[in-house]
Every structure is written in structure tokens, then in C-alpha cells.
Amino acid sequence: MPLNILFSAPVADWADYGPHLKAALAEAGVEAAVSPECPDPAKVDYIVYAPTGGLSDFAPFTRAKAVLSLWAGVERIVGNPTLTQPLCRMVDPGMTEGMVEYVTGHVLRHHLGTDAHILGQDGVWRNNIRPPIARERPVAVLGLGELGSTVARTLAGFNFPVMGWSRTPKSVPGVTCHSGEDGLEAVLRQAQILILLLPLTDDTRDLLDARRLAMLPEGAFIVNPGRGPLIDDEALLAALDAGRIAHATLDVFRVEPLPPGHRYWSHPRVTVTPHIAADTRAITATRVIAENIRRGEAGEPFLHQVDRDRGY
Ligand code: NAP
């Protein structure tokens, strides 16, 4: 009997994902019918899930063996009381590449002071302000998981002195790794460019509050492609208004889409990008989904299973 797989993501994504998912399942040797339609939840074996697909009650999916998220961040589903099945988050090589490029682009932009030249080309030859070289600019990455550790290694490859911070002690080549509350303070005090790649959990919500923002060196830059609520918005706006934080590149927000009247849109020290730092790529992500379904059927442990207690 072929497996029944429900694709529970925005309908518009089906045209991209459908053919790749079918091909990846065939490649993995999994016989399955995949559909964005769900006439009978009790007959579904696996759910491919995005929070934007509208599914919130998992109770009727009595036969489902796992929920396979297309998103890396699972804060919108991890505490769902109807979800009793194993939950796996997305670790997608295509997404990781996208994140490395997004962060590297914005870090180099801030490091080189590119905005001053792009926005200020007014016929005046100002050659008195020159950027330091990377080895003179300490950067820090909060979160050393799939994305953060790859970003940190890449920035170390540009010669930035890179510090990283995680919940448990980590070792990443070329990166000075810290953990715990003391470790966070040590990292923040030196970080001229701070990158947030933490998941949103009870422990990380509002992590960057007024007290911790004040630990950053004067004129620091922030790049946040992690999650909006990692930062206390009012505290950040106050630090930006005062010029203590030189600029924040923000990709994620407490409310998305960011409401039209939000101060971030018009703040001269803020760059808003609309949650596009690193999209899941259908061609690579469907291989991860197919491999997890193969594992489920073979009785092998799932890849990237979320720890519900930890929240990520
Ligand atoms: P991951 O592999 O689960 O890594 C999470 C990292 O954060 C780990 O190093 C973990 O520490 C650390 N961490 C978690 N809680 C912590 C705490 N309380 N204190 C200190 N460190 C803590 O996640 P990932 O795949 O790298 O993704 C990170 C996040 O990026 C996602 O959760 C999502 O929110 C965001 N994201 C955004 C986009 C976008 O387009 N903007 C795309 C993809 C992902 P340990 O190593 O000790 O466990």
C-alpha cells in the first residue's frame, strides 16, 4: 500500500514542491501518494508542514507517524497540545547557503561602510574615513546550530575574529566559542557586529533587552535573521535613536508582515527585509523530507527531531 502524505503548506507552494517531493520520494525508494488535499485525516501517514498552511489541529491525524516541518524555526508548532506525533524541523543545505550569503552580504556592507558611498554620492571626495580590515573587527554569532555555525565559519574565513555563543559548549573551527550567561556578556562586550541565529524559545525571548544592548560596543551593528522577539523592539529603537547602535538589519519581526506604520520602516538606522534571509529550497528540502519518511518506515531515528522540552 502506498503511503499517504499530506502537503500542508500554502497552496501556491505546491506547484514548486509537488514535482520535487514526488521525485525525492521515488529516489529514496518510498512508494507514496502526495497531495495538498486531505479528504480523510485518519488515513494520512506523514504531514509535510508549514505554519502558513493553516493546519493547527493535529488530533484527527490518528495514523500520522511524524510532522515534517518545511521551516527551521518551530516556535509556532512546538507547544501545540494537539501535536502528539514526532516533530522534525527543516535542515536544508539550500537554506543554509542562503543564510550564509544573506549574513555575509550585510556584515560586509556594515563592515565596509558601503551605505555612505551608495547613499551619499554628492560630488564631495571624502577619503578620510576608511574601513578597518576584517581581522580588526570582532563579530559574534548568537546560536551555533546548523545555520549559526556555518555562518560563523564563513566569517572566520574572511579573517573576522569570530565569537560564537550557544546553550551548551560547542567547538567550531576558527571560532571562539562561549556558552552560559557569563559567556554571553563576554561576547556582547566585544561584538562590533552581532548576528542573531537563535531559535525563539521561552529562554531566548527578549534576550537582547536594554541591559544587554548596553553591553555592545558604541556604534555596533546588529543583523537579525533569527526571530523578531529575540530583541526588545523598544530597547533597540532607543539605542538606535541615541546612535549607540549604528544600524540594525532586521529580517524577522514580532508581527509579520511588519505593520506599515511600524517605526522600523522609516528609521534611518534600520534595514527591513521581509523574512527572506533564507528560504527553504524545494529541490534540496524535499530530499530531507523523503529521507525522513524512508527512516520512519525503516524504523530508524528521524533526522532533526525537535526536543519539545527544549523548544527547538
Ligand atoms: P539549530 O540548529 O537548532 O541551532 C540553534 C542554536 O541556538 C544552537 O546552537 C543552540 O544551542 C542555540 N540556543 C538555543 N537556545 C539557546 C539559549 N537559551 N541560549 C544560548 N543558545 C541557545 O537552529 P538553526 O537551524 O541554526 O536555526 C536557527 C534559527 O534561525 C531558527 O530557529 C529560525 O528561527 C531562524 N531561521 C530564520 C530564517 C530566515 O529566513 N530568517 C531561515 C531559517 C531559520 P545548542 O547548540 O547548545 O543546542
Side-chain angles (χ1 to χ4, degrees):
M1 270 287 277
L3 298 169
N4 286 318
I5 298 171
L6 171 66
F7 182 79
S8 178
V11 182
D13 291 350
W14 176 242
D16 185 20
Y17 276 86
H20 286 302
L21 195 48
K22 287 175 190 166
L25 288 163
E27 226 171 86
V30 175
E31 212 187 317
V34 197
S35 173
E37 313 284 326
C38 185
D40 185 355
K43 292 197 172 139
V44 170
D45 294 291
Y46 291 90
I47 303 170
V48 178
Y49 167 87
T52 41
L55 178 60
S56 58
D57 184 4
F58 294 88
F61 294 88
T62 46
R63 192 163 96 184
K65 294 167 216 166
V67 174
L68 307 169
S69 173
L70 289 171
W71 287 29
V74 290
E75 73 280 357
R76 284 163 68 171
I77 183 179
V78 72
N80 185 321
T82 68
L83 181 69
T84 51
Q85 302 86 348
L87 169 66
C88 301
R89 62 191 207 89
M90 179 49 65
V91 173
D92 163 27
M95 177 198 284
T96 305
E97 275 182 47
M99 186 59 84
V100 166
E101 291 174 19
Y102 176 93
V103 173
T104 304
H106 284 276
V107 165
L108 287 176
R109 164 193 171 203
H110 296 314
H111 167 62
L112 295 172
T114 313
D115 286 10
H117 303 290
I118 294 175
L119 306 173
Q121 190 162 292
D122 56 2
V124 179
W125 187 261
R126 295 182 191 88
N127 67 348
N128 54 332
I129 301 171
R130 296 166 191 218
I133 52 174
R135 67 178 70 253
E136 298 162 343
R137 172 94 71 184
V139 306
V141 183
L142 304 189
L144 288 175
E146 293 291 334
L147 300 176
S149 63
T150 314
V151 162
R153 273 201 312 273
T154 304
L155 295 175
F158 279 91
N159 292 332
F160 288 106
V162 182
M163 294 162 288
W165 183 70
S166 52
R167 191 176 55 84
T168 55
K170 285 266 137 35
S171 167
V172 179
V175 178
T176 308
C177 296
H178 299 259
S179 59
E181 185 63 35
D182 291 352
L184 179 58
E185 176 158 0
V187 165
L188 292 178
R189 293 222 175 267
Q190 297 173 72
Q192 292 184 20
I193 304 179
L194 180 71
I195 299 135
L196 279 81
L197 276 169
L198 292 161
L200 178 60
T201 67
D202 289 346
D203 291 337
T204 62
R205 186 176 295 276
D206 289 320
L207 183 97
L208 212 55
D209 56 10
R211 185 176 66 86
R212 294 202 180 102
L213 281 166
M215 293 176 184
L216 288 167
E218 187 78 23
F221 300 92
I222 293 173
V223 179
N224 183 18
R227 282 292 181 261
L230 297 174
I231 303 182
D232 175 338
D233 292 321
E234 288 311 312
L236 176 60
L237 282 163
L240 288 161
D241 287 343
R244 279 192 296 102
I245 301 296
H247 200 101
T249 295
L250 307 174
D251 185 56
V252 281
F253 303 91
R254 228 161 262 268
V255 177
E256 294 183 8
L258 183 66
H262 198 285
R263 277 193 69 203
Y264 283 148
W265 281 117
S266 55
H267 202 290
R269 296 184 193 276
V270 174
T271 298
V272 171
T273 60
H275 202 146
I276 45 75
D279 215 359
T280 306
R281 316 280 146 166
I283 189 163
T284 40
T286 50
R287 291 187 193 131
V288 179
I289 299 280
E291 168 60 9
N292 252 345
I293 294 174
R294 186 202 67 72
R295 283 169 169 257
E297 293 308 294
E300 296 171 22
F302 288 116
L303 298 171
H304 320 306
Q305 190 168 339
V306 171
D307 178 331
R308 301 283 176 88
D309 295 331
R310 237 175 33 176
Y312 69 99

